[in-house]
Amino acid sequence: DAYHIVRYRGTTNVLEWNDVILPFLKRARLDSIRHFNGIKVDRQLITAMVERWGKETHCFNFREGECTITLKDIAILTDLPIDGDVVCVDSTAPPKVVVNMSGWQHFIWTVTGLCPPEKGDNDADGNPPLSKGQVSITWLTAEIRRKHNPEFGGIPLTEESSERDKDIYARIYILGMIGGVFFPMKSNNLISNSWLKIILGSWDDMGNLSWASACLAQLYRSLCNASARAVKEIDGAMFIVQFWAWEHLPWIAPKVDPDKEWGPDHPLRHEAYGCRWLGETTCDNLGAHKLEEYRRRLDHLWEAELKFDPYPERIEAHHVHKFPLHPGQWCTRVPLICHHIVEWHLPDRCLRQFGSEQCIPLDVPESQKGYHGKDGRQGPTNWPEEYKSLIRLWNVRQDQDIVTASHVGRMGYHDPYLETYRRQSVRYMTPEGAADGALVRN
């Protein structure tokens, strides 16, 4: 279908926010995630962006060159930290089986006091609470709601509640946000046991993880999978793609009420910059005609209409202050890892996003195609051992910075980068865009 609109399920099964769990999320460096539940996603916009995605280059192909979602974008829009260890666990060592409980049942029960049955008692979505290496978020959140809902004889969670009750509520809240917002699968109500090992583990260990790189790894994988023509559904944190498009392509962004402009008086001025788009949406009922309009406008996009580096300096400075690191780590050519997923961060293809002169980029790592075959269905695998050479590269990422001269002015038509890009890339989605490009060339 030439005008097929990709399906996206959106957010479900997340516990209601409660301020008493904020200290726990701060320990895990995940306090910013609380702002991003329930965001409406413009599926036509996502479809138009997916069509321009390069599966190997990890960039959107536009008329005037490549542009992509970088570690810098993730850090500034969501406040997730870049610095830290990769999110990757050994799935060959499940918890030990105990009397009357499987290993995973006992592990979940020990941490949360909940024991999901493996047979019968399906959740509200018809799925068993624990099955085939996955646990139902729907079941977990329903059990916690019953525990703290007075209508079911529960006790509300307050400052006077026990630390254990707050701890459990915080963990189940994070699991819901992980499985439903930041790292969702297409099922949208199941989460893998690999995440259980992390979220039900040590708070200090969680606080030492690079959440931004893991989020970007899965986002890249979601865009790569959806870019296949036969695929009709997408997972991943698509709200980030939407926010990124609104920042870098301001002509498609909602008009923000002047009273909500991001300034010193904004109530969320100390939070993630993406919070400025909360509550904003675009019309999602124009069907194929809206997708066609996105395609047409993106085909005719000039360099001046694309904001390569849209973030004010004070916003960048705020993020560096909150998560101390050298800003050069935003522009590092490095593998991004999230459990079995490996996707390369290739900022040398979009240096204008860092205020640098765009040169002809390095070749895409030859191993990238092979990593796309790792889809988590290979069975239990010791991923830290499997990816130890890649993890070493991540750990010395400060040595992989891409540095070039500052970019000044518009690139000429015969710039070496643009000539190479035009030979190697598909830049137009419509016949009209291609014809217009031919006129410019001639």
Side-chain angles (χ1 to χ4, degrees):
D1 184 352
Y3 295 103
H4 169 71
I5 299 172
V6 69
R7 292 196 300 269
Y8 180 68
R9 292 175 183 264
T11 304
T12 58
N13 306 318
V14 178
L15 279 176
E16 295 72 25
W17 173 251
N18 191 314
D19 286 341
V20 302
I21 68 172
L22 183 57
F24 293 93
L25 269 69
K26 286 185 174 181
R27 286 179 64 186
R29 297 197 299 172
L30 286 172
D31 48 297
S32 66
I33 67 174
R34 70 191 189 277
H35 298 300
F36 298 109
N37 186 23
I39 296 172
K40 184 176 176 61
V41 171
D42 182 345
R43 294 183 299 118
Q44 288 93 334
L45 173 59
I46 299 302
T47 301
M49 299 303 294
V50 166
E51 290 174 341
R52 294 180 174 275
W53 183 253
K55 190 173 183 179
E56 295 178 8
T57 61
H58 295 158
C59 290
F60 299 111
N61 292 330
F62 296 121
R63 174 182 191 158
E64 299 290 331
E66 296 160 296
C67 204
T68 194
I69 303 169
T70 68
L71 285 170
K72 176 180 178 179
D73 293 303
I74 297 292
I76 289 177
L77 290 174
T78 69
D79 253 7
L80 293 179
I82 296 174
D83 227 18
D85 299 328
V86 299
V87 176
C88 186
V89 299
D90 178 3
S91 64
T92 64
K96 294 181 180 179
V97 176
V98 297
V99 178
N100 297 325
M101 285 188 190
S102 71
W104 283 112
Q105 282 179 313
H106 184 255
F107 178 67
I108 296 170
W109 176 79
T110 300
V111 180
T112 69
L114 305 174
C115 183
E118 293 182 309
K119 296 181 180 179
D121 298 323
N122 286 355
D123 64 23
D125 299 307
N127 297 309
L130 184 65
S131 176
K132 297 179 180 179
Q134 297 177 325
V135 66
S136 166
I137 303 172
T138 302
W139 187 87
L140 289 172
T141 55
E143 290 298 305
I144 292 297
R145 284 192 179 108
R146 274 193 284 271
K147 180 177 179 179
H148 294 291
N149 190 334
E151 294 182 7
F152 295 97
I155 302 173
L157 190 72
T158 66
E159 289 287 357
E160 286 70 39
S161 299
S162 69
E163 288 300 299
R164 175 166 170 77
D165 280 346
K166 295 175 187 177
D167 180 289
I168 293 171
Y169 195 100
R171 294 180 190 273
I172 303 304
Y173 177 84
I174 292 174
L175 280 172
M177 290 297 289
I178 291 288
V181 181
F182 282 87
F183 300 86
M185 298 187 296
K186 290 178 182 177
S187 64
N188 213 38
N189 75 325
L190 299 173
I191 193 165
S192 74
N193 290 339
S194 294
W195 282 115
L196 289 181
K197 281 191 171 184
I198 291 176
I199 307 304
L200 301 188
S202 159
W203 286 106
D204 290 335
D205 288 346
M206 274 192 273
N208 289 327
L209 294 174
S210 171
W211 293 106
S213 66
C215 180
L216 188 55
Q218 189 182 358
L219 188 59
Y220 279 0
R221 177 61 61 88
S222 297
L223 289 167
C224 289
N225 289 342
S227 66
R229 194 168 184 81
V231 174
K232 297 184 177 180
E233 190 171 4
I234 193 170
D235 55 14
M238 288 300 110
F239 79 92
I240 295 177
V241 178
Q242 179 165 285
F243 286 1
W244 182 93
W246 288 352
E247 293 288 349
H248 291 266
L249 305 166
W251 49 270
I252 63 172
K255 294 187 181 300
V256 179
D257 186 325
D259 293 336
K260 297 181 180 179
E261 285 291 348
W262 198 261
D265 298 325
H266 196 286
L268 296 175
R269 63 190 179 278
H270 298 305
E271 303 294 340
Y273 192 54
C275 290
R276 79 191 195 100
W277 297 114
L278 296 180
E280 302 295 338
T281 185
T282 56
C283 181
D284 199 25
N285 61 2
L286 298 180
H289 297 295
K290 185 178 181 184
L291 175 56
E292 187 176 11
E293 180 64 12
Y294 279 141
R295 286 171 172 155
R296 186 188 69 80
R297 290 293 302 273
L298 291 172
D299 266 359
H300 292 80
L301 187 69
W302 290 100
E303 184 177 351
E305 298 176 290
L306 178 58
K307 295 182 69 173
F308 286 99
D309 190 8
Y311 309 114
E313 289 185 8
R314 60 185 173 82
I315 299 300
E316 295 186 16
H318 159 73
H319 185 85
V320 173
H321 175 74
K322 186 171 182 179
F323 296 111
L325 79 163
H326 192 282
Q329 290 193 45
W330 289 341
C331 190
T332 182
R333 184 180 165 101
V334 70
L336 307 171
I337 301 172
C338 180
H339 299 304
H340 63 277
I341 296 172
V342 173
E343 301 287 346
W344 275 83
H345 185 243
L346 303 172
D348 54 313
R349 309 192 73 89
C350 52
L351 290 171
R352 286 174 286 181
Q353 290 182 237
F354 301 91
S356 298
E357 179 182 350
Q358 182 62 58
C359 54
I360 297 175
L362 300 172
D363 292 336
V364 174
E366 292 184 5
S367 57
Q368 180 60 66
K369 288 184 179 179
Y371 295 133
H372 280 157
K374 307 284 188 180
D375 58 6
R377 291 181 288 187
Q378 291 81 9
T381 304
N382 186 343
W383 295 113
E385 179 65 23
E386 180 95 357
Y387 293 152
K388 61 182 179 182
S389 62
L390 298 172
I391 293 173
R392 280 198 295 267
L393 285 177
W394 170 258
N395 290 338
V396 295
R397 58 195 175 279
Q398 64 273 14
D399 299 330
Q400 313 297 321
D401 290 354
I402 307 295
V403 180
T404 67
S406 298
H407 172 64
V408 179
R410 185 174 181 272
M411 297 177 71
Y413 184 82
H414 295 291
D415 182 274
Y417 161 75
L418 288 179
E419 289 192 336
T420 303
Y421 171 68
R422 286 192 293 268
R423 287 195 304 269
Q424 298 178 349
S425 305
V426 176
R427 298 178 294 145
Y428 302 107
M429 296 296 116
T430 66
E432 293 80 5
D436 186 48
L439 289 174
V440 172
R441 181 175 67 250
N442 297 328

